[in-house]
Amino acid sequence: MNELILVLDFDGQSGRAIARKVRDLGVYCEVLPHTAEIQRIREKAPRGIILTCPSGGVCDVPEVLQLGVPVVEVSSNAAVSREEGLKDFLYNTCACRGDWKMGDYAARTVQVLKEKIGDKKVLCALSGGVDSTVAAVMVHQAVGRQLTCIFVDHGLLRKNEAASVEQMCRETFDINLIRVDAAHRFLGRLAGVDDPEQKRKIIGEEFIRVFEDEAKKIGTVDFLVQGTIYPDIIESGTDGSAVIKSHHNVGGLPDVVDFKEIVEPLRLLFKDEVRQVGLELGIPAELVWRQPFPGPGLGVRVIGAITRDKLDILREADAIFREEINATGLDRELGQYFAVLTNIRSVGVRDGARTYDYTVGLRAVKTSDFMSAEFARIPYEVLEKVSGRIVHEVDHVNRVVYDVTPKPPATIEFE
């Protein structure tokens, strides 16, 4: 329904960044790989096409030029990708009006969901993350109590997080919520496991089993809600449902749950747009601006084997770090920030006595797309305060370190 600018991505790096800039300028934009068939491009009827070519490279697109729409070629980080050049291309060359607004998108999507779902039943696996929360609230605004959300509390959430999600669902929106306290099941299966990928698989499998157990009590539903967002679609290389990545999600689609169709109300949105929609829907700002959180939760932020005691230590340290970052106003500048509990223990001194306790690692990055990231230059006085509070307020921690590694070669998560 919106006017469309299409990005054909040749270098695999800058296409997403350009698309985000175009959307920020008020024009809807999609990214396709440069291998996309010409018929697929024609069917989308774009107002204009942007080619993102490798630096010093040339894009071979004679068929695209025959479509009769304006085409501009952008080398990686070239001047035309800057705001003024991009704005001129959109509004002067392509004669766009700028009809991409989050308020309009939210209202229109709620209406589309209302018509699509009708009087049918809908089920949502609520992880507590921003994506699934916004998706659930959007569907709830469309169909109310026809939606049932199953919130699996796996015992790996941050401090006070399960309670705040439950309170938001029940009190702010009156969502039909089933909260399952399954911490004992997850911790039982994770006992003694220290390999991060094995942890992810166990948490993913157990999440699906718990979800299935609860869903069977509900019976057949017509729709299953997923919080798929546009970067998932881009990375899958298709227009269809995203390929679920074990690295970021708690699991794939449950095999046993009986549903007829998937609903993905956020599948066209980048992460920052999901947050904007969340605010438009009336979700409290502190929930909308929560830090990105991996599906396996603190399970991959406790290095080595997981225990309740280690999780409690990490919850307290992480809460202090996030509290101090928020207090300084740095939270909106950073792409992601969190604490990890390493499996390093070292000698220290507390109250005049020798200690042999854990090292907490702090990670904070700046990123536009989470594909690459730079470590954040947090002021020393902030790090000093965070470190001081952690070692004095959190038992069994006597050392705090700060990760200064970019992605790549490191990942954003620290596991």
Side-chain angles (χ1 to χ4, degrees), residues 256-270:
V256 180
V257 177
D258 191 1
F259 66 92
K260 296 173 183 173
E261 192 175 340
I262 298 169
V263 175
E264 298 171 310
L266 310 179
R267 68 192 305 278
L268 298 180
L269 303 183
F270 285 107

Side-chain angles (χ1 to χ4, degrees), residues 162-375:
S164 67
V165 170
E166 182 174 16
Q167 182 179 29
M168 184 270 305
C169 288
R170 295 194 195 283
E171 297 179 17
T172 306
F173 293 103
D174 191 31
I175 289 174
N176 182 19
L177 178 74
I178 298 170
R179 177 177 169 179
V180 187
D181 183 358
H184 62 289
R185 284 183 61 165
F186 283 86
L187 294 181
R189 286 206 57 199
L190 288 165
V193 178
D194 58 9
D195 177 72
E197 191 58 28
Q198 194 178 351
K199 286 184 197 175
R200 286 180 178 275
K201 287 177 179 172
I202 289 170
I203 294 167
E205 288 168 6
E206 196 63 22
F207 186 94
I208 291 173
R209 297 291 87 77
V210 175
F211 182 71
E212 284 174 349
D213 289 346
E214 293 301 318
K216 284 175 193 171
K217 300 174 188 175
I218 297 169
T220 302
V221 296
D222 299 278
F223 297 95
L224 181 71
V225 180
Q226 278 206 293
T228 309
I229 64 175
Y230 194 51
D232 299 326
I233 302 291
I234 295 173
E235 288 176 22
S236 74
T238 72
D239 282 338
S241 295
V243 173
I244 303 297
K245 298 167 297 191
S246 71
H247 188 70
H248 295 289
N249 293 274
V250 290
L253 293 173
D255 297 324
V256 180
V257 177
D258 191 1
F259 66 92
K260 296 173 183 173
E261 192 175 340
I262 298 169
V263 175
E264 298 171 310
L266 310 179
R267 68 192 305 278
L268 298 180
L269 303 183
F270 285 107
K271 190 75 173 190
D272 57 326
E273 294 172 322
V274 172
R275 296 189 195 280
Q276 291 174 46
V277 166
L279 294 172
E280 291 284 345
L281 294 169
I283 298 174
E286 62 270 19
L287 290 181
V288 168
W289 286 100
R290 261 177 320 181
Q291 281 296 289
F293 197 51
L298 299 182
V300 291
R301 292 182 182 171
V302 169
I303 312 302
I306 298 168
T307 66
R308 284 185 186 272
D309 288 344
K310 285 183 179 179
L311 288 168
D312 288 340
I313 291 168
L314 178 53
R315 266 190 268 271
E316 294 300 324
D318 184 70
I320 289 170
F321 187 32
R322 288 186 290 122
E323 185 180 310
E324 291 299 332
I325 291 294
N326 291 346
T328 61
L330 288 169
D331 52 317
R332 301 291 174 90
E333 296 177 24
L334 303 177
Q336 196 165 347
Y337 54 96
F338 56 90
V340 297
L341 184 65
T342 74
N343 55 359
I344 299 169
R345 299 183 75 183
S346 62
V347 174
V349 177
R350 178 179 287 196
D351 300 326
R354 177 187 182 278
T355 61
Y356 186 61
D357 281 329
Y358 289 106
T359 298
V360 163
L362 305 178
R363 179 80 161 139
V365 299
K366 289 193 170 186
T367 178
S368 61
D369 58 9
F370 291 88
M371 299 291 286
S372 61
E374 294 294 328
F375 72 87

